Amino acid sequence: MKPLKILPALLLMCLSASAQDVAYQRPPKVIEEIALAPTRPQVRFSRTYQWMLELKRAPFVTVSELSQPELRLAGMRFEPLTLAESRQRGYTGITITRLKDKSVKEVTGLPADEIILGTTEYPTNDAVLIFVKNDRGVYLYKAAYADGIATRLSNRRLNAVAGIQVVWISDTDFLTLMEPSGERKAPVEDRTPKGPVVQENIGKATAARTYQDMLKNPYDEELFEYYFTSQLVKISPNGEENINAPAIYSGLSASPDKSLLLVETIEKPYSYTVPMYYFPTKTVITDIHGKPVKEVQQTPVLITSMGYDTTSPYPRSHAWRADKPATLYWVEAQDGGNPRSKKVEYADIVYQQAAPFTAEKQEVVRTHKRYGGITWCDDAFALVREQSRETRRRQTYSFAPASGKTPALIFDISTDDLYNNPGTPHLVRNEYGRYVLYTNKAHTELLMTGEGASPEGDMPFISRYDIKTKKNTVLWRCKAPYYETVIDVVDPAKLQVITSRQSQTLPANYYLKNLKNGKETALTAFPNPYPMLEGVSKEQIKYKRADGIDLTATVYLPAGYNKERDGRLPVLMWAYPREYRSAADAAQVRGSKYTFTSINYGSPVYWVTQGFCVMENVEMPIVGSEGKEPNDTFVEQLQMNAEAAVKVITDMGVGDPNRIAVGGHSYGAFMTANLLTHTKLFKAGIARSGAYNRTLTPFGFQAETRTYWEAPEVYNTMSPFMYADKLSGALLLVHGELDNNTGTFPIQSERFYQALKGNKGTVRYVVLPLESHGYAAKENILHLLYETDRWLNTYVKDAK
């Protein structure tokens, strides 16, 4: 009988240990201090550049906040109690700086316990509209720059379940979406089913990627209709005015002359397969008071074909020309939206129709490849872009919209070729307040800004591009040892700009610069938020993989580290694979060695404080060549990349080849699992929110457009789940309980864990309560760092 008395005590001890194991833990003090360090404010400038706003970022939300009621419908997540998108961090306060004299004032009049979601500037350039959220909803406030006193504009709450919509129709009046007025009651679920839920497809290919949070039954449809139905409301100094009957809005814009509205609403039947932005829609033009002017089109539920460069078979991308009072333009696919099903000379044609929309549509321009957008200037000059995802190329043409002449090619680049990217044309506001191209009177020059990628890393620039000679003359380029980028051009004629400048030791701050005479004025002086990292060394290294492709990585070493004295260190590599069409593009240097290290919750840099050598942004290119898709040799190339990284850090005399870990998030987690099941290079892996069985994403993933049935060997070979019996090293799996990312459902980690456990693998599976694909709650983030630290210490740093 004595053993029977002991057994309950042993059982209680086991239960207690289990309960303690799942309670929230915290990482080492220095890691926690870094994670909770205050982040730099969001900085915004008025359009006149007389004022600067600093929005103070809110701290991490808590698990308690995440646990508030949330509905997940039609691919959207929102709070039913506040009619706002869920999981928003927001801001806690705003300061206004007058740039002329550097005087600073706090915005007052906002309740202290409420969260600021954002701001937008009034067309008069003298005030901002502020969106403020409390536990009842999202409300509108206005604050003038001059006094900073905020006043509420309406006691009616916005309907912000799909975001906040503001459309200016005069200097003082705007349209927004609000909760419908009157008594409304949310649908109540009838727990007794009235019958089965049936979906049907008869002989038609309707492949779709694996979306999350879809509608599942008639009750979900009722909820969707109830919560997403909004009232269009005009807000003016004279009060509020309802415009038309409530509807589910998916698009709203005013014509440049503010006389007409382009309105898109969602219509039935709703889909259980795709998110709401693919639901049937009705597009109409109304006057500014909501009176119908023209029905543009009705579009059924949209499920595009799989493959490269597919698009909607229906007219798409309806918008107002920025350079005309009220001219609508749109795009029509000439290949049915699928280049594989119909070969045509021109993939797309852009059409236009001017108010009052009684004349026939006019052709504006044609594109050989898929249309990629138009940037307007006037009838004599515009730029049109076409692109191909299959070839990874983008062409930009200049054309005269009113002439009908053949467009002239000015740029033809690989989207992966950063070195030859000419930059982005600068835009200015026209008489309608819309952005158009800044150019000379002859339309022969463009002012360009770009990242300036080079073998020495990114060196941002501003240049003048001659369209006739195709010569790009650099007017200014950032200089080492800084990374400085143009944030905005204040005066393009005088070359007066606002820049953001940082270095390895100095955080990013803003400057007003005159590029002609070199004079500058500091606009901000944000301090280093990580004094505990002072002395940590940072270096961008270059090396080659076995087939000769150049690779780079950023290496961090502990403060005071001496190779001869301290010996080799344990290593943590962090990476994310990317696909390329050419080895030359894959070999290009990305990023800058002169940036300040900003650390978010997912960063690996924390562990440089724990005696690790950290390799961040370890290049993992997957290259397609000689007619093969990149993923045809995914595993082999991944192994080459990893072997090269291990070799270089070992050859440097820094890394201990017997104590190396690898990690990543999402596709980086997928990479990690593949490396641990196909190589013996790593003692441990950290895989966060990944997908491990590609048969669960059968209609494509990442840049893969082939289906499982078209390339089963590729899907199977790339799935670490299929090699669960080959795991080498200890794998820490982490997943958000409510991951909503396409393809990375929590079942991916659940099933992979079961497979590894069933094959005697060393694995731990941590589910972070209430988290999505990215993590938000303070408790979960600190526990994530605790788990990672514990795993790295146990299986790497202290490994025998």
Side-chain angles (χ1 to χ4, degrees):
M1 296 296 291
K2 192 173 183 180
L4 293 178
K5 293 180 180 179
I6 295 175
L7 185 58
L10 290 174
L11 179 60
L12 181 61
M13 289 173 61
C14 292
L15 290 173
S16 298
S18 176
Q20 184 180 8
D21 187 49
V22 298
Y24 279 120
Q25 303 293 316
R26 302 170 83 151
K29 182 180 179 182
V30 66
I31 291 181
E32 181 170 338
E33 288 176 347
I34 295 171
L36 301 183
T39 52
R40 190 185 68 176
Q42 173 74 39
V43 175
R44 300 176 183 177
F45 296 93
S46 67
R47 284 189 289 269
T48 61
Y49 303 103
Q50 296 178 22
W51 308 93
M52 178 177 71
L53 296 182
E54 292 184 29
L55 283 72
K56 303 171 187 175
R57 299 181 195 272
F60 290 119
V61 300
T62 65
V63 169
S64 175
E65 291 173 285
L66 281 192
S67 67
Q68 296 305 304
E70 177 184 67
L71 288 179
R72 299 180 283 277
L73 300 169
M76 306 297 289
R77 293 184 171 185
F78 63 94
E79 300 171 358
L81 299 181
T82 63
L83 292 184
E85 292 178 290
S86 54
R87 303 166 186 272
Q88 297 184 85
R89 188 171 173 182
Y91 309 92
T92 58
I94 304 175
T95 61
I96 300 175
T97 301
R98 187 198 302 267
L99 296 182
K100 183 178 181 180
D101 58 13
K102 297 292 185 68
S103 60
V104 180
K105 61 175 69 70
E106 292 275 349
V107 171
T108 60
L110 299 175
D113 59 342
E114 300 185 2
I115 292 295
I116 299 164
L117 297 182
T119 66
T120 189
E121 190 174 33
Y122 270 73
T124 50
N125 305 323
D126 61 356
V128 287
L129 190 61
I130 307 172
F131 314 114
V132 180
K133 176 175 173 276
N134 60 27
D135 58 4
R136 298 175 301 282
V138 180
Y139 296 89
L140 297 168
Y141 286 76
K142 176 183 179 180
Y145 289 132
D147 61 20
I149 300 173
T151 57
R152 186 185 280 198
L153 297 181
S154 171
N155 289 322
R156 193 172 174 181
R157 63 180 181 170
L158 299 181
N159 188 341
V161 293
I164 297 170
Q165 181 80 51
V166 170
V167 175
W168 293 97
I169 55 175
S170 76
D171 283 350
T172 58
D173 302 354
F174 61 91
L175 302 176
T176 191
L177 300 180
M178 290 187 151
E179 181 181 26
S181 55
E183 290 292 329
R184 300 174 73 234
K185 291 186 177 181
V188 178
E189 183 176 13
D190 185 348
R191 298 283 183 174
T192 303
K194 294 182 174 64
V197 175
V198 177
Q199 299 183 62
E200 184 176 58
N201 184 73
I202 302 176
K204 183 179 180 181
T206 52
R209 294 208 172 192
T210 47
Y211 296 107
Q212 182 69 292
D213 299 339
M214 298 298 96
L215 300 180
K216 298 179 179 63
N217 51 52
Y219 176 61
D220 278 357
E221 292 190 55
E222 292 179 25
L223 287 173
F224 172 75
E225 191 160 308
Y226 175 82
Y227 284 107
F228 283 82
T229 295
S230 301
Q231 176 65 61
L232 183 61
V233 179
K234 173 185 173 182
I235 305 291
S236 73
N238 297 322
E240 305 171 12
E241 178 188 345
N242 288 350
I243 306 293
N244 289 343
I248 302 176
Y249 290 89
S250 54
L252 181 67
S253 63
S255 59
D257 67 357
K258 299 180 174 61
S259 67
L260 299 170
L261 298 175
L262 180 64
V263 181
E264 183 183 85
T265 55
I266 289 177
E267 308 292 322
K268 290 183 175 180
Y270 309 135
S271 172
Y272 289 12
T273 305
V274 293
M276 64 175 285
Y277 39 86
Y278 293 126
F279 284 7
T281 58
K282 180 180 179 180
T283 306
V284 299
I285 295 173
T286 74
D287 67 15
I288 212 69
H289 305 291
K291 182 181 178 181
V293 172
K294 174 185 174 63
E295 181 174 307
V296 177
Q297 75 175 43
Q298 294 192 39
T299 306
V301 65
L302 183 60
I303 303 178
T304 58
S305 304
M306 299 300 296
Y308 289 116
D309 303 318
T310 59
T311 190
S312 170
Y314 312 107
R316 69 187 195 275
S317 303
H318 295 84
W320 300 108
R321 275 188 61 166
D323 61 325
K324 294 289 184 181
T327 296
L328 188 71
Y329 74 102
W330 66 92
V331 189
E332 295 184 13
Q334 304 303 294
D335 53 9
N338 187 352
R340 293 192 298 179
S341 65
K342 184 179 180 181
K343 300 299 181 183
V344 294
E345 182 179 0
Y346 296 98
D348 287 318
I349 298 179
V350 179
Y351 293 99
Q352 69 178 10
Q353 193 176 40
F357 313 106
T358 53
E360 291 296 314
K361 65 184 182 183
Q362 297 177 317
E363 182 178 322
V364 179
V365 69
R366 300 182 173 205
T367 60
H368 293 280
K369 302 298 182 182
R370 192 61 70 208
Y371 167 81
I374 289 179
T375 308
W376 302 97
C377 182
D378 52 33
D379 271 340
F381 186 62
L383 299 180
V384 61
R385 296 173 298 281
E386 64 177 33
Q387 57 199 21
S388 170
R389 286 187 60 219
E390 182 176 16
T391 61
R392 305 270 182 115
R393 296 205 70 81
R394 180 188 300 123
Q395 290 81 28
T396 302
Y397 298 83
S398 64
F399 73 106
S403 74
K405 293 182 180 179
T406 302
L409 179 67
I410 59 173
F411 303 132
D412 183 1
I413 62 172
S414 163
T415 55
D416 292 329
D417 182 5
L418 304 182
Y419 289 179
N420 291 301
N421 189 320
T424 302
H426 176 62
L427 307 180
V428 293
R429 286 182 179 265
N430 62 9
E431 66 269 31
Y432 302 114
R434 302 300 175 93
Y435 283 104
V436 295
L437 289 163
Y438 174 77
T439 182
N440 59 346
K441 290 183 178 180
H443 298 319
T444 58
E445 291 183 349
L446 296 170
L447 190 67
M448 311 287 287
T449 57
E451 280 298 305
S454 73
E456 296 305 312
D458 291 351
M459 303 295 283
F461 67 88
I462 187 167
S463 65
R464 182 172 288 114
Y465 185 84
D466 189 307
I467 294 174
K468 288 185 176 180
T469 64
K470 297 186 179 181
K471 183 179 179 182
N472 208 12
T473 303
V474 174
L475 305 175
W476 170 88
R477 186 186 296 274
C478 98
K479 297 179 180 179
Y482 298 102
Y483 174 75
E484 187 169 14
T485 184
V486 174
I487 299 300
D488 208 347
V489 180
V490 176
D491 188 327
K494 296 180 180 178
L495 286 183
Q496 191 175 37
V497 301
I498 292 175
T499 69
S500 172
R501 186 168 71 212
Q502 59 187 291
S503 71
Q504 287 194 9
T505 57
L506 298 174
N509 275 289
Y510 293 89
Y511 296 83
L512 179 64
K513 297 174 71 83
N514 186 310
L515 301 184
K516 287 187 174 181
N517 60 27
K519 292 183 178 180
E520 70 175 33
T521 302
L523 302 179
T524 61
F526 301 127
N528 179 357
Y530 314 117
M532 64 289 287
L533 290 180
E534 290 182 3
V536 169
S537 69
K538 175 182 178 181
E539 178 187 7
Q540 188 178 66
I541 63 170
K542 300 178 181 180
Y543 53 102
K544 291 181 182 292
R545 76 180 195 185
D547 60 358
I549 290 181
D550 292 320
L551 303 174
T552 60
T554 301
V555 175
Y556 297 85
L557 296 176
Y561 171 71
N562 181 285
K563 183 166 54 178
E564 286 71 27
R565 182 191 66 213
D566 302 324
R568 294 180 178 271
L569 301 174
V571 179
L572 172 58
M573 296 183 182
W574 208 259
Y576 191 96
R578 299 187 186 279
E579 301 89 347
Y580 298 92
R581 284 291 177 187
S582 79
D585 289 347
Q588 292 186 1
V589 176
R590 286 164 174 80
S592 170
K593 56 189 173 183
Y594 300 121
T595 55
F596 182 77
T597 301
S598 295
I599 302 176
N600 60 30
Y601 74 84
S603 173
V605 179
Y606 294 101
W607 284 277
V608 75
T609 68
Q610 304 301 300
F612 277 77
C613 162
V614 175
M615 297 180 70
E616 189 181 32
N617 299 322
V618 179
E619 291 285 353
M620 293 279 175
I622 309 297
V623 183
S625 60
E626 299 178 356
K628 289 186 177 182
E629 291 293 314
N631 286 340
D632 290 346
T633 54
F634 178 88
V635 171
E636 295 87 340
Q637 293 195 61
L638 201 62
Q639 182 170 344
M640 276 197 294
N641 293 327
E643 288 172 344
V646 169
K647 182 177 186 302
V648 69
I649 203 66
T650 302
D651 289 350
M652 287 171 61
V654 171
D656 183 343
N658 297 313
R659 294 188 298 162
I660 300 180
V662 64
H665 183 90
S666 195
Y667 211 52
F670 171 68
M671 168 207 74
T672 298
N674 266 299
L675 287 173
L676 263 67
T677 53
H678 289 286
T679 78
K680 297 185 182 298
L681 297 170
F682 302 100
K683 295 290 285 187
I686 312 294
R688 300 172 180 169
S689 298
Y692 310 105
N693 183 348
R694 284 303 167 195
T695 69
L696 298 179
T697 56
F699 292 106
F701 57 91
Q702 207 70 2
E704 180 59 66
T705 62
R706 296 170 293 184
T707 70
Y708 174 78
W709 297 274
E710 292 172 320
E713 68 287 348
V714 171
Y715 275 69
N716 289 325
T717 301
M718 290 180 68
S719 297
F721 178 89
M722 307 301 179
Y723 302 90
D725 60 333
K726 308 295 185 185
L727 183 71
S728 173
L731 182 60
L732 174 64
L733 294 171
V734 181
H735 220 114
E737 178 188 18
L738 301 176
D739 192 327
N740 66 336
N741 184 55
T742 301
T744 57
F745 298 171
I747 196 173
Q748 290 276 3
S749 289
E750 294 170 15
R751 294 293 182 263
F752 192 36
Y753 170 72
Q754 294 291 340
L756 294 170
K757 186 176 72 167
N759 284 282
K760 301 181 180 180
T762 300
V763 59
R764 180 176 173 89
Y765 176 35
V766 179
V767 179
L768 299 178
L770 305 171
E771 295 290 0
S772 186
H773 191 59
Y775 314 143
K778 173 182 174 180
E779 297 93 331
N780 284 328
I781 288 169
L782 293 180
H783 189 85
L784 167 75
L785 297 173
Y786 157 80
E787 292 280 359
T788 305
D789 185 68
R790 172 184 173 274
W791 203 254
L792 291 174
N793 282 328
T794 302
Y795 294 104
V796 183
K797 188 176 181 180
D798 299 332
K800 302 299 183 184

